[in-house]
Short mmCIF file of all heavy atoms in Angstrom, two decimals:
data_model
loop_
_atom_site.label_atom_id
_atom_site.label_comp_id
_atom_site.label_asym_id
_atom_site.label_seq_id
_atom_site.Cartn_x
_atom_site.Cartn_y
_atom_site.Cartn_z
N THR A 21 167.07 255.74 194.66
CA THR A 21 166.76 257.11 194.18
C THR A 21 167.94 258.03 194.17
O THR A 21 168.88 257.90 194.93
CB THR A 21 165.63 257.71 195.28
OG1 THR A 21 166.25 257.80 196.46
CG2 THR A 21 164.43 256.85 195.22
N GLY A 22 167.81 259.09 193.36
CA GLY A 22 168.80 260.16 193.25
C GLY A 22 168.22 261.51 193.30
O GLY A 22 166.89 261.63 193.58
N ALA A 23 168.94 262.50 193.07
CA ALA A 23 168.58 263.94 193.12
C ALA A 23 167.19 264.29 192.43
O ALA A 23 166.44 265.04 192.92
CB ALA A 23 169.66 264.80 192.65
N GLY A 24 166.96 263.53 191.32
CA GLY A 24 165.75 263.87 190.57
C GLY A 24 164.43 263.73 191.27
O GLY A 24 163.54 264.35 190.91
N ILE A 25 164.39 262.82 192.28
CA ILE A 25 163.04 262.56 192.92
C ILE A 25 162.79 263.87 193.83
O ILE A 25 161.63 264.09 194.09
CB ILE A 25 163.16 261.35 193.78
CG1 ILE A 25 161.65 261.03 194.14
CG2 ILE A 25 163.98 261.36 195.04
CD1 ILE A 25 161.41 259.56 194.81
N VAL A 27 163.70 266.98 192.95
CA VAL A 27 163.64 268.24 192.14
C VAL A 27 162.28 268.99 192.25
O VAL A 27 162.18 270.17 192.42
CB VAL A 27 163.88 267.93 190.64
CG1 VAL A 27 163.44 269.02 189.73
CG2 VAL A 27 165.37 267.60 190.45
N GLU A 28 161.19 268.15 192.23
CA GLU A 28 159.82 268.77 192.35
C GLU A 28 159.41 269.16 193.77
O GLU A 28 158.41 269.67 193.90
CB GLU A 28 158.75 267.82 191.67
CG GLU A 28 158.91 267.65 190.23
CD GLU A 28 158.26 266.43 189.66
OE1 GLU A 28 157.06 266.58 189.30
OE2 GLU A 28 158.90 265.37 189.57
N PRO A 32 167.39 271.70 193.55
CA PRO A 32 167.98 271.54 192.23
C PRO A 32 168.81 270.25 192.22
O PRO A 32 169.38 269.81 193.30
CB PRO A 32 168.83 272.67 192.13
CG PRO A 32 169.01 273.37 193.41
CD PRO A 32 167.90 272.78 194.31
N PRO A 33 169.06 269.55 191.02
CA PRO A 33 169.81 268.46 190.92
C PRO A 33 171.27 268.89 191.04
O PRO A 33 171.56 270.09 190.97
CB PRO A 33 169.48 267.85 189.52
CG PRO A 33 168.98 268.98 188.83
CD PRO A 33 168.33 269.98 189.75
N PHE A 34 172.26 268.02 191.04
CA PHE A 34 173.66 268.29 191.06
C PHE A 34 174.12 268.62 189.70
O PHE A 34 174.86 269.66 189.41
CB PHE A 34 174.41 267.20 191.62
CG PHE A 34 174.13 267.02 193.14
CD1 PHE A 34 173.27 266.04 193.58
CD2 PHE A 34 174.85 267.81 194.12
CE1 PHE A 34 173.15 265.89 194.88
CE2 PHE A 34 174.55 267.68 195.47
CZ PHE A 34 173.71 266.65 195.86
N ARG A 35 173.71 267.77 188.70
CA ARG A 35 174.33 267.87 187.37
C ARG A 35 173.27 268.53 186.42
O ARG A 35 172.06 268.66 186.74
CB ARG A 35 174.80 266.57 186.87
CG ARG A 35 175.98 266.15 187.62
CD ARG A 35 176.44 264.71 187.40
NE ARG A 35 177.46 264.45 188.42
CZ ARG A 35 177.15 264.13 189.68
NH1 ARG A 35 175.94 263.99 190.11
NH2 ARG A 35 178.15 263.94 190.48
N GLY A 36 173.64 268.76 185.19
CA GLY A 36 172.70 269.30 184.25
C GLY A 36 172.75 270.85 184.23
O GLY A 36 173.40 271.49 185.01
N TRP A 41 176.24 271.85 190.81
CA TRP A 41 177.72 272.05 190.50
C TRP A 41 178.05 272.97 189.49
O TRP A 41 179.20 273.26 189.06
CB TRP A 41 178.23 270.61 190.16
CG TRP A 41 178.15 269.60 191.35
CD1 TRP A 41 178.08 268.14 191.12
CD2 TRP A 41 178.23 269.78 192.75
NE1 TRP A 41 178.04 267.52 192.38
CE2 TRP A 41 178.22 268.49 193.34
CE3 TRP A 41 178.30 270.90 193.55
CZ2 TRP A 41 178.13 268.36 194.68
CZ3 TRP A 41 178.35 270.73 194.92
CH2 TRP A 41 178.21 269.47 195.40
N GLN A 100 170.70 258.07 197.38
CA GLN A 100 171.93 258.82 197.27
C GLN A 100 171.64 260.18 197.90
O GLN A 100 172.53 261.08 197.92
CB GLN A 100 172.42 259.00 195.88
CG GLN A 100 172.65 257.60 195.11
CD GLN A 100 172.80 257.84 193.72
OE1 GLN A 100 173.74 258.07 193.12
NE2 GLN A 100 171.67 257.66 193.01
N ASN A 101 170.39 260.57 198.10
CA ASN A 101 170.00 261.86 198.62
C ASN A 101 170.31 261.99 200.12
O ASN A 101 170.15 261.05 200.86
CB ASN A 101 168.54 262.15 198.37
CG ASN A 101 168.24 262.01 196.87
OD1 ASN A 101 169.19 262.11 196.04
ND2 ASN A 101 167.02 261.97 196.39
N ILE A 102 170.68 263.21 200.45
CA ILE A 102 171.05 263.54 201.92
C ILE A 102 169.93 264.44 202.50
O ILE A 102 170.13 264.96 203.54
CB ILE A 102 172.38 264.26 201.86
CG1 ILE A 102 172.43 265.49 200.92
CG2 ILE A 102 173.52 263.28 201.52
CD1 ILE A 102 173.73 266.16 200.94
N HIS A 118 174.75 258.19 201.14
CA HIS A 118 175.65 259.31 201.27
C HIS A 118 175.37 260.11 202.51
O HIS A 118 175.82 261.27 202.67
CB HIS A 118 175.47 260.24 200.01
CG HIS A 118 176.03 259.62 198.69
ND1 HIS A 118 175.65 260.04 197.48
CD2 HIS A 118 176.94 258.69 198.51
CE1 HIS A 118 176.20 259.42 196.52
NE2 HIS A 118 177.04 258.45 197.20
N VAL A 159 178.52 261.97 203.20
CA VAL A 159 179.81 261.60 202.59
C VAL A 159 180.34 262.62 201.69
O VAL A 159 179.71 263.03 200.70
CB VAL A 159 179.51 260.34 201.83
CG1 VAL A 159 180.78 259.88 201.04
CG2 VAL A 159 178.98 259.09 202.66
N PHE A 161 183.31 264.09 199.06
CA PHE A 161 184.20 263.42 197.99
C PHE A 161 185.52 263.00 198.71
O PHE A 161 186.03 263.92 199.44
CB PHE A 161 184.51 264.40 196.86
CG PHE A 161 183.28 264.80 196.17
CD1 PHE A 161 182.80 266.08 196.11
CD2 PHE A 161 182.59 263.93 195.28
CE1 PHE A 161 181.64 266.55 195.37
CE2 PHE A 161 181.31 264.20 194.66
CZ PHE A 161 180.92 265.46 194.67
N ILE A 186 164.90 255.94 190.34
CA ILE A 186 164.17 257.17 190.17
C ILE A 186 165.08 258.40 190.32
O ILE A 186 165.80 258.59 191.29
CB ILE A 186 163.01 257.38 191.12
CG1 ILE A 186 162.14 256.16 191.34
CG2 ILE A 186 162.22 258.66 190.90
CD1 ILE A 186 161.10 256.16 192.49
N GLY A 187 165.29 259.14 189.17
CA GLY A 187 165.95 260.38 189.14
C GLY A 187 167.42 260.31 189.50
O GLY A 187 167.90 261.12 190.22
N THR A 188 168.13 259.48 188.76
CA THR A 188 169.58 259.45 189.03
C THR A 188 170.32 259.21 187.65
O THR A 188 169.82 258.43 186.83
CB THR A 188 169.99 258.44 189.98
OG1 THR A 188 171.36 258.37 190.13
CG2 THR A 188 169.48 257.02 189.73
N THR A 189 171.42 259.97 187.56
CA THR A 189 172.21 259.87 186.28
C THR A 189 173.02 258.60 186.25
O THR A 189 173.35 258.21 185.12
CB THR A 189 173.30 261.07 186.18
OG1 THR A 189 173.88 261.13 187.37
CG2 THR A 189 172.48 262.32 185.82
N GLY A 190 173.40 258.02 187.43
CA GLY A 190 174.15 256.83 187.46
C GLY A 190 175.65 257.16 187.15
O GLY A 190 176.35 256.28 186.67
N THR A 191 176.07 258.28 187.51
CA THR A 191 177.52 258.64 187.19
C THR A 191 178.37 258.68 188.44
O THR A 191 179.67 258.83 188.33
CB THR A 191 177.56 260.02 186.60
OG1 THR A 191 176.76 260.97 187.35
CG2 THR A 191 177.07 260.05 185.15
N VAL A 192 177.79 258.48 189.65
CA VAL A 192 178.68 258.64 190.82
C VAL A 192 178.85 257.21 191.46
O VAL A 192 178.04 256.53 191.87
CB VAL A 192 178.02 259.54 191.75
CG1 VAL A 192 178.81 259.65 193.12
CG2 VAL A 192 178.05 261.01 191.18
N ILE A 212 162.61 255.48 186.11
CA ILE A 212 161.80 256.74 185.95
C ILE A 212 162.72 257.89 185.81
O ILE A 212 163.49 258.18 186.78
CB ILE A 212 160.84 256.86 187.14
CG1 ILE A 212 159.83 255.74 187.16
CG2 ILE A 212 160.17 258.25 187.03
CD1 ILE A 212 158.97 255.72 188.46
N ASN A 213 162.67 258.61 184.77
CA ASN A 213 163.61 259.79 184.55
C ASN A 213 163.12 260.48 183.38
O ASN A 213 162.82 259.82 182.24
CB ASN A 213 165.03 259.28 184.37
CG ASN A 213 166.07 260.38 184.53
OD1 ASN A 213 165.89 261.51 184.05
ND2 ASN A 213 167.14 260.07 185.29
N PRO A 214 163.00 261.80 183.31
CA PRO A 214 162.66 262.55 182.13
C PRO A 214 163.67 262.42 180.98
O PRO A 214 163.33 262.80 179.87
CB PRO A 214 162.41 264.01 182.55
CG PRO A 214 162.91 264.08 183.88
CD PRO A 214 163.12 262.78 184.50
N GLU A 215 164.87 262.08 181.31
CA GLU A 215 166.05 261.99 180.38
C GLU A 215 166.61 260.58 180.45
O GLU A 215 166.67 260.06 181.64
CB GLU A 215 167.02 263.02 180.70
CG GLU A 215 166.73 264.47 180.71
CD GLU A 215 166.15 264.88 179.32
OE1 GLU A 215 166.60 264.31 178.31
OE2 GLU A 215 165.26 265.68 179.23
N PRO A 216 167.13 260.10 179.44
CA PRO A 216 167.91 258.74 179.58
C PRO A 216 169.15 258.99 180.46
O PRO A 216 169.58 259.98 180.57
CB PRO A 216 168.34 258.50 178.17
CG PRO A 216 167.57 259.41 177.23
CD PRO A 216 167.21 260.59 178.04
N SER A 217 169.52 257.88 181.19
CA SER A 217 170.66 257.96 182.13
C SER A 217 171.71 257.04 181.60
O SER A 217 171.60 256.37 180.59
CB SER A 217 170.13 257.70 183.48
OG SER A 217 169.94 256.28 183.59
N ASP A 230 159.47 260.24 182.33
CA ASP A 230 158.68 261.14 182.87
C ASP A 230 159.17 261.76 184.21
O ASP A 230 160.08 261.16 184.70
CB ASP A 230 157.23 260.58 183.08
CG ASP A 230 156.11 261.68 182.87
OD1 ASP A 230 156.49 262.96 183.18
OD2 ASP A 230 155.00 261.36 182.64
N LYS A 231 158.63 262.78 184.63
CA LYS A 231 159.01 263.37 185.91
C LYS A 231 158.65 262.43 187.01
O LYS A 231 157.49 261.69 186.83
CB LYS A 231 158.36 264.69 186.12
CG LYS A 231 158.97 265.76 185.24
CD LYS A 231 158.26 267.02 185.63
CE LYS A 231 158.87 268.17 184.75
NZ LYS A 231 158.30 269.48 184.95
N ALA A 232 159.29 262.42 188.15
CA ALA A 232 158.98 261.53 189.21
C ALA A 232 157.56 261.51 189.70
O ALA A 232 156.95 260.39 189.97
CB ALA A 232 159.98 261.72 190.38
N THR A 233 157.04 262.75 190.00
CA THR A 233 155.69 262.81 190.60
C THR A 233 154.67 262.20 189.71
O THR A 233 153.81 261.34 190.05
CB THR A 233 155.32 264.36 191.02
OG1 THR A 233 155.43 265.00 189.80
CG2 THR A 233 156.18 264.86 192.05
N1 LIG B 1 161.94 263.56 188.10
C1 LIG B 1 162.79 262.55 187.97
N2 LIG B 1 164.05 262.70 187.56
C2 LIG B 1 164.46 263.88 187.36
C3 LIG B 1 163.64 265.11 187.48
C4 LIG B 1 162.21 264.87 187.84
N3 LIG B 1 161.41 265.84 187.99
N4 LIG B 1 164.42 266.17 187.10
C5 LIG B 1 165.66 265.71 186.81
N5 LIG B 1 165.65 264.41 186.93
C6 LIG B 1 166.86 263.47 186.57
C7 LIG B 1 167.87 264.08 185.71
O1 LIG B 1 167.50 263.69 184.36
C8 LIG B 1 169.16 263.22 186.15
O2 LIG B 1 169.19 262.06 185.54
O3 LIG B 1 167.47 263.36 187.95
C9 LIG B 1 168.84 263.16 187.75
C10 LIG B 1 169.64 263.89 188.49
O4 LIG B 1 171.07 263.62 188.45
P1 LIG B 1 172.27 264.09 189.42
O5 LIG B 1 172.12 265.54 189.68
O6 LIG B 1 173.61 263.65 188.81
O7 LIG B 1 171.95 263.38 190.66
P2 LIG B 1 172.32 261.98 191.25
O8 LIG B 1 172.43 260.90 190.20
O9 LIG B 1 171.62 261.63 192.45
O10 LIG B 1 173.90 262.34 191.81
C11 LIG B 1 174.53 261.33 192.53
O11 LIG B 1 176.30 262.86 192.94
O12 LIG B 1 177.44 264.84 193.67
C12 LIG B 1 176.81 263.69 193.95
O13 LIG B 1 176.60 262.92 196.15
C13 LIG B 1 175.86 263.56 195.13
O14 LIG B 1 174.34 261.91 195.68
C14 LIG B 1 174.77 262.68 194.61
C15 LIG B 1 175.35 261.96 193.56
#
Side-chain angles (χ1 to χ4, degrees):
T21 64
I25 194 168
V27 165
E28 291 163 90
F34 292 98
R35 292 172 190 76
W41 298 152
Q100 298 163 88
N101 299 344
I102 53 179
H118 292 157
V159 177
F161 296 114
I186 310 172
T188 177
T189 47
T191 48
V192 175
I212 295 170
N213 199 313
E215 301 298 331
S217 72
D230 210 337
K231 291 182 174 180
T233 53

